[in-house]
Amino acid sequence: MGRKQTKSTRRKLTGACTEPDRISCLPGHIIDRILSHLPIKEAVRTSVLSSKWMNKWYTIPNLVFDRKCISAIASEDPLVFESKYLKIVDHVLLLHTGPINMFKFSDCGRDFISESVVTDIARWIRHLIGRSIKELVLEVVIEERYKFKLPRCLFSCQSLQRIKLYSGWLKPPTTFKGFRNLKILELYHITITQNALENLISSCPILEHLTLIGLDDLTEIKIHAPNLKILGILGEFVDFSFENTFQLTELSLLFHSQRNQSRLSGCSSNLLKFSAHLPHIQHLDISSGFLKVKCSSISTLNFNELQSDLESFFCFVQYLAAGVVPVMLPTPCINLRFLFMCIRFNDMNEVLAALCLLRSSPNLQKLEIIAEHGKQTILPTPDSYCWEEIFSGPAVPISVRHVNIEGISGIKFELDFIRFLLMYSSVLEKMIVKPGLNVRPELMTELIRFKRASGQAEVIYNGEDSVNYGGEDFP
């Protein structure tokens, strides 16, 4: 008990007490990985962990300024909020010393109301260009009187691989030669001329992903993008066309109703015109499904306003249904795996356009349909709507395996379509039917009595009392 401590014992005890903690011992690349997943505010706070973590956040490559970094001032007066928020961005950019791969700045759902924001954003862009930024995301709404114009220097930044802009004025200089490394371009509520937009798209040789939503005062657009794979369009376009754009694999379209319908009459066949650009399509959304998802990802309160605007738009099936609808397309969509569309079932041309796409898609795996009941729906007459002719015609098999139909009300035209699918889908595995509100109670009974070409077909009625029915036919 009274034994004297030796030097070696003291060294061991001292070493045990000064052994560094696990956080301080983490390799540098692990620390960088951790910081990359933290909001800016939390990344700055890690400086107190140890000397190894001190100011490590100076080099994080992705700078994201959104709700997570300003929660403490979110409830303040708009001018105070604006001033403090802009100072946070300035402070981070001033101290940051490493490369900047991504810069994202969101207004967090609070419209900016002072002209200084426009000046600050332009200054940040000039700073970021000097740091060879790869992704620029600006989700900002500024009062109309301070119409935001992107600085000309942006168009000289050849390191950019992704640009996402929400509102503002886009005017490329006459000397603009394109973004040679740009792969993703997303424009929301941007003011740009038709020629400028077409030149911008065609001047990005490796562009793969293009989203155009709510562009001001554009009615027609020609898309020239040889490497384009994903395209989403929502707007008041009267017409559009493709040129040397044959690599599309995912397409989502939604047009404005009033402008478009005036131009649709007299067309020989919009479906045939459109089908020439579908050889590689794998995912086709001719409803508002994809676009609602895209818009909801915008971290602003304006999504609620945009959702209400969707009511004034019509689904692309109406565009395809204009003119003489063929029974099948001359060139089948052999790569199409997923099809999502809204249909007004009491419009025979829309139903025929949908059936044409189904017959022309031999490898379709999944079909999703939403029954549309808009104000513009016109009830058909017996002469204009004749399912008997469709059923009595040549049997063309449909290869879909999974079907999801939502919002049906139980009217005859909807049931005829479902009956047709069950009768000619020989490899169908599952059909889910989700009715709308206040449907007839006998709807479920009518559905399960339909005969099916596939002995494996399972019908799932997803109403208040969900019931599954196997592949046996009912008399």
Side-chain angles (χ1 to χ4, degrees):
M1 291 179 60
R3 184 179 299 175
K4 196 174 183 180
Q5 289 185 347
T6 62
K7 290 184 179 180
S8 60
T9 303
R10 286 196 298 269
R11 280 198 299 269
K12 288 180 181 179
L13 292 173
T14 304
C17 295
T18 60
E19 183 180 348
D21 60 89
R22 292 184 178 182
I23 290 180
S24 300
C25 291
L26 288 173
H29 70 280
I30 298 297
I31 296 177
D32 292 337
R33 184 69 179 271
I34 293 173
L35 291 174
S36 68
H37 292 281
L38 293 177
I40 291 281
K41 182 173 66 174
E42 302 302 327
V44 173
R45 289 176 174 176
T46 61
S47 292
V48 302
L49 294 177
S50 71
S51 59
K52 191 170 183 179
W53 284 75
M54 185 176 295
N55 302 331
K56 187 70 174 176
W57 68 270
Y58 285 7
T59 60
I60 57 177
N62 298 329
L63 302 180
V64 178
F65 300 93
D66 55 15
R67 290 182 183 275
K68 294 179 180 179
C69 73
I70 57 157
S71 57
I73 60 172
S75 61
E76 298 221 16
D77 175 84
L79 285 175
V80 176
F81 163 84
E82 192 173 296
S83 175
K84 289 186 176 182
Y85 193 14
L86 299 180
K87 286 180 180 179
I88 290 174
V89 181
D90 277 337
H91 181 72
V92 172
L93 288 179
L94 178 65
L95 295 178
H96 197 278
T97 58
I100 300 177
N101 292 336
M102 181 182 73
F103 178 87
K104 176 181 177 180
F105 179 71
S106 168
D107 61 17
C108 306
R110 302 178 61 159
D111 294 4
F112 290 127
I113 57 177
S114 70
E115 190 175 5
S116 64
V117 180
V118 175
T119 304
D120 286 334
I121 293 177
R123 176 167 50 81
W124 297 339
I125 290 176
R126 286 191 290 269
H127 175 80
L128 294 166
I129 289 173
R131 308 286 288 275
S132 299
I133 185 175
K134 295 180 181 179
E135 295 186 44
L136 176 64
V137 178
L138 297 177
E139 297 176 353
V140 182
V141 177
I142 304 175
E143 284 194 353
E144 185 66 26
R145 56 180 171 164
Y146 304 132
K147 192 71 173 181
F148 175 58
K149 182 179 179 181
L150 288 161
R152 292 168 60 94
C153 62
L154 174 67
F155 298 95
S156 64
C157 184
Q158 293 301 323
S159 61
L160 281 168
Q161 297 178 9
R162 180 195 178 201
I163 298 177
K164 180 179 180 181
L165 305 174
Y166 189 91
S167 84
W169 183 23
L170 199 61
K171 187 178 181 181
T174 55
T175 57
F176 177 61
K177 301 300 182 182
F179 294 111
R180 62 173 178 265
N181 292 306
L182 193 69
K183 293 184 177 182
I184 302 175
L185 177 62
E186 300 174 80
L187 303 179
Y188 298 77
H189 301 285
I190 293 293
T191 299
I192 186 172
T193 66
Q194 178 178 330
N195 288 336
L197 177 61
E198 292 178 357
N199 290 335
L200 174 61
I201 295 172
S202 61
S203 299
C204 301
I206 64 172
L207 186 66
E208 297 180 354
H209 186 149
L210 175 64
T211 299
L212 307 174
I213 294 182
L215 301 193
D216 296 341
D217 302 322
L218 282 182
T219 57
E220 298 183 21
I221 181 174
K222 179 185 293 183
I223 297 175
H224 174 89
N227 289 294
L228 191 65
K229 295 179 174 60
I230 300 175
L231 172 63
I233 298 180
L234 183 154
E236 297 185 355
F237 296 101
V238 171
D239 204 358
F240 74 99
S241 60
F242 293 102
E243 181 179 310
N244 192 22
T245 306
F246 297 105
Q247 301 301 317
L248 280 174
T249 59
E250 185 171 326
L251 180 60
S252 304
L253 299 163
L254 190 63
F255 282 178
H256 195 279
S257 56
Q258 296 179 350
R259 288 195 178 192
N260 235 299
Q261 288 178 335
S262 63
R263 286 282 301 272
L264 296 182
S265 58
C267 300
S268 59
S269 176
N270 278 349
L271 185 55
L272 287 176
K273 171 187 171 184
F274 177 74
S275 67
H277 306 282
L278 296 180
H280 299 285
I281 289 289
Q282 299 175 15
H283 182 116
L284 180 58
D285 181 346
I286 42 182
S287 72
S288 58
F290 166 82
L291 294 166
K292 281 184 178 180
V293 172
K294 291 292 293 182
C295 295
S296 64
S297 67
I298 300 173
S299 56
T300 69
L301 297 179
N302 293 286
F303 174 56
N304 294 329
E305 180 181 342
L306 190 142
Q307 277 188 307
S308 62
D309 289 344
L310 287 175
E311 297 179 0
S312 65
F313 286 79
F314 79 107
C315 297
F316 199 62
V317 176
Q318 290 178 250
Y319 176 85
L320 299 180
V324 180
V325 180
V327 175
M328 292 184 66
L329 298 177
T331 303
C333 306
I334 59 174
N335 294 303
L336 189 62
R337 300 291 190 274
F338 176 85
L339 177 59
F340 183 14
M341 52 187 169
C342 291
I343 302 177
R344 297 184 303 174
F345 282 102
N346 47 10
D347 185 316
M348 191 58 179
N349 280 345
E350 289 190 30
V351 173
L352 291 176
L355 292 178
C356 177
L357 285 173
L358 291 175
R359 291 173 176 138
S360 305
S361 306
N363 297 306
L364 187 65
Q365 298 292 312
K366 188 172 184 179
L367 169 66
E368 293 189 5
I369 295 176
I370 295 179
E372 179 68 30
H373 303 283
K375 296 179 181 180
Q376 299 177 3
T377 298
I378 301 175
L379 292 176
T381 63
D383 293 336
S384 64
Y385 204 100
C386 186
W387 270 102
E388 285 70 18
E389 293 184 6
I390 297 177
F391 282 111
S392 63
V396 180
I398 297 174
S399 303
V400 66
R401 294 181 179 275
H402 299 274
V403 178
N404 191 345
I405 302 179
E406 294 189 19
I408 67 169
S409 58
I411 60 176
K412 179 179 184 299
F413 317 114
E414 297 168 343
L415 296 179
D416 283 340
F417 185 86
I418 295 173
R419 182 160 59 101
F420 182 87
L421 284 182
L422 290 172
M423 185 175 293
Y424 292 107
S425 302
S426 58
V427 295
L428 183 66
E429 297 174 5
K430 180 182 292 186
M431 175 183 286
I432 300 175
V433 179
K434 184 176 182 180
L437 300 176
N438 303 320
V439 298
R440 296 181 291 109
E442 63 271 19
L443 174 60
M444 181 179 66
T445 303
E446 295 180 42
L447 288 175
I448 65 176
R449 288 182 179 275
F450 291 154
K451 292 188 177 183
R452 308 162 204 179
S454 170
Q456 303 299 318
E458 179 185 16
V459 177
I460 300 175
Y461 182 81
N462 193 5
E464 293 182 359
D465 298 319
S466 298
V467 181
N468 298 3
Y469 295 92
E472 65 274 10
D473 289 331
F474 287 81

